[in-house]
Amino acid sequence: MYQPSEMAVLMQEFYDYNEQLKKEITSGNELTHMPETFKAIQTAEMTDSADPSKIFKAYAPVYLQTQLRVTDSLNTEDLKTRFNDNINICLSCHKTECVGPIPRIKKLLIQ
């Protein structure tokens, strides 16, 4: 029976959370803050027990920063821009690390 890695589970949580954020942004609702569990991106076990690459290690803290910027009420930058910047960080990393989910991630972008 398939057992997803810690990273695979975490990536699904990222997707679900950002899908929820997209709905909140487009409907003008209050934004849900990033779960603390997302910080595990830097320590979660990768699929096939592979070690994270240098590229992944470089993107992980940037992702956390851009994810936090989305819900930062003090940030005056356009909310849609902040959200799309965050999703574009995901896409940039996935272009080098794990290309499979790219079409699904692109659907998160707010047009």
Side-chain angles (χ1 to χ4, degrees):
M1 182 174 201
Y2 171 71
Q3 285 282 25
S5 68
E6 290 175 330
M7 188 61 71
V9 170
L10 190 58
M11 290 290 171
Q12 182 59 51
E13 290 174 11
F14 293 159
Y15 183 87
D16 294 343
Y17 171 70
N18 280 296
E19 188 174 46
Q20 176 186 340
L21 273 183
K22 179 180 179 178
K23 289 176 187 172
E24 292 169 354
I25 291 168
T26 57
S27 64
N29 293 339
E30 186 173 332
L31 303 181
T32 305
H33 290 284
M34 182 185 87
E36 287 292 317
T37 57
F38 283 14
K39 293 178 181 176
I41 190 173
Q42 298 181 49
T43 59
E45 181 184 322
M46 304 290 274
T47 302
D48 298 328
S49 299
D51 289 331
S53 71
K54 288 180 182 180
I55 293 171
F56 180 83
K57 287 180 181 180
Y59 273 109
V62 174
Y63 168 75
L64 290 175
Q65 290 172 345
T66 60
Q67 186 70 76
L68 284 169
R69 272 187 43 229
V70 174
T71 57
D72 180 358
S73 61
L74 299 177
N75 192 322
T76 58
E77 185 181 21
D78 177 62
L79 182 56
K80 177 182 158 186
T81 300
R82 293 189 317 240
F83 179 81
N84 283 341
D85 286 350
N86 182 57
I87 300 307
N88 283 319
I89 290 295
C90 298
L91 290 168
S92 294
C93 186
H94 276 276
K95 286 178 183 175
T96 63
E97 296 301 301
C98 178
V99 298
I102 289 176
R104 187 171 182 229
I105 296 168
K106 284 183 177 179
K107 292 178 184 176
L108 290 172
L109 291 167
I110 299 174
Q111 302 302 316

